[in-house]
Amino acid sequence: MTEAQGVLGRRRAARLGLAALLAAGCAPTSGPAPLDRERATALLDRRATALRERDPAAWSATSATSTGQDGLWARLAEVPLAGWAYRVTGVRADSATATVEATLRYRLRGEDPAPATARRLLGLVRHEGRWRVRSEEAAPGAAQLLWDQGRVRARRGSWGLVLGTGSAGQVREFARLAERAVPVADDAWGGDWPRRVVVLVPGSLAGTAALLGGEPDAYRGVAAVTTGTPEPGTPADRIVVNPEAYRELDSRGKQFVLTHETVHVATRSVTGPATPLWLSEGFADRAAHRAAPRPLPAAAPALAAAVARGEV
């Protein structure tokens, strides 16, 4: 090799080395790994653990939002949770944002013998070099949870649990109604039932419909609805209140409605789609009327008027 060839070789090597250095310098900096189901599951597991243990630092490490008044952390502050866990069912992601579909399983402490489930949609963003949760809401077509509608107040006792998004006074009022309703239902039915109720009090008719997964018109004028199943190993029934219809009732009517719905909770294990409506509703009415008797014309004015006209 001549001296000229050696010089050319060294120059070529230098140029190649410089090109490699420049390429390395221009390469994008490493960021969070692409989000897949495994990584989404790990993130939501950490989030669930932080919520169960009420660890604000751990929660903040998974969240793109603060633990302030409007966040899920604050909205759940008074809710007595015995369980909270996600099962990821789908992930859609790009370089900066992601949408995660998941099934939430949660239990209310002292009330739910088994977890309640809800389909959820979580929005994620890349934040400070990590994937974090920006939002959580009901999945399309799924019913809302009470804390989707605002901060929840709680009141509990030997009779069960009231959760509401309204004022503390409103929650106390329903607690008093529930305290009177449970012994009446137990006296009328007895049997094997928890002798406790869970009452959900949203802030509006629209909120009631959202909790039940329906349209507001379907519940207009309906003061309360009880949801549940007679199957064993299921969460506790929920009595879902329509506050707008409740406001139209007098004190006796308010107590009657909640006692009626509590009787449905008591009889849940032996009733189902095959139970005649006149039997299940009639028994609940009878028990509630016995606790707050009133003359027939006041209890059933339309019927009394029809009988008076001879329209038997």
Side-chain angles (χ1 to χ4, degrees):
M1 177 184 296
T2 66
E3 182 177 352
Q5 288 174 324
V7 170
L8 288 172
R10 288 192 294 275
R11 287 176 178 173
R12 184 183 179 195
R15 286 197 300 272
L16 290 173
L18 178 61
L21 288 172
L22 289 172
C26 293
T29 58
S30 61
L35 188 71
D36 56 19
R37 186 171 296 200
E38 182 179 354
R39 292 186 177 90
T41 296
L43 172 62
L44 296 191
D45 283 350
R46 294 196 300 273
R47 179 178 175 85
T49 299
L51 184 59
R52 290 194 307 269
E53 297 178 356
R54 297 304 297 178
D55 184 337
W59 174 268
S60 294
T62 71
S63 179
T65 58
S66 71
T67 58
Q69 285 290 108
D70 297 328
L72 181 62
W73 175 270
R75 286 184 260 132
L76 283 165
E78 293 188 33
V79 179
L81 293 172
W84 187 282
Y86 299 94
R87 181 175 66 84
V88 174
T89 58
V91 175
R92 300 189 304 274
D94 57 29
S95 60
T97 63
T99 300
V100 175
E101 298 173 359
T103 298
L104 171 65
R105 293 167 57 86
Y106 72 93
R107 285 197 304 121
L108 298 175
R109 187 174 65 249
E111 311 301 335
D112 287 328
T117 61
R119 294 191 297 113
R120 308 295 284 169
L121 195 69
L122 296 99
L124 276 62
V125 293
R126 282 184 171 183
H127 182 76
E128 297 178 353
R130 300 175 62 183
W131 286 104
R132 297 176 185 242
V133 178
R134 177 175 58 188
S135 63
E136 180 178 333
E137 60 188 12
Q144 284 188 346
L145 299 173
L146 186 62
W147 40 87
D148 291 330
Q149 301 179 10
R151 183 161 186 163
V152 177
R153 298 180 186 273
R155 191 149 185 112
R156 71 185 314 167
S158 60
W159 43 265
L161 175 68
V162 175
L163 300 175
T165 57
S167 67
Q170 184 187 47
V171 172
R172 283 196 302 270
E173 177 188 8
F174 279 98
R176 287 193 295 269
L177 296 174
E179 186 175 18
R180 299 187 189 109
V182 168
V184 171
D186 194 40
D187 181 61
W189 180 247
D192 183 19
W193 72 289
R195 293 166 174 80
R196 299 178 67 84
V197 291
V198 176
V199 183
L200 306 182
V201 189
S204 65
L205 168 61
T208 300
L211 294 182
L212 296 168
E215 295 297 323
D217 283 347
Y219 302 101
R220 196 176 304 278
V222 177
V225 175
T226 298
T227 65
T229 172
E231 299 298 322
T234 56
D237 290 3
R238 269 59 162 164
I239 299 175
V240 184
V241 169
N242 172 4
E244 294 181 16
Y246 237 86
R247 283 196 292 269
E248 302 301 317
L249 301 173
D250 61 15
S251 58
R252 186 191 296 264
K254 291 175 180 178
Q255 186 63 65
F256 173 85
V257 168
L258 201 67
T259 303
H260 174 107
E261 298 301 329
T262 302
V263 173
H264 284 318
V265 175
T267 61
R268 177 70 66 194
S269 63
V270 297
T271 56
T275 306
L277 195 61
W278 64 264
L279 179 58
S280 60
E281 295 298 331
F283 181 76
D285 270 0
R286 179 175 182 270
H289 276 304
R290 285 179 63 190
R294 60 198 312 183
L296 178 63
L303 175 62
V307 171
R309 294 191 301 267
E311 299 172 359
V312 295

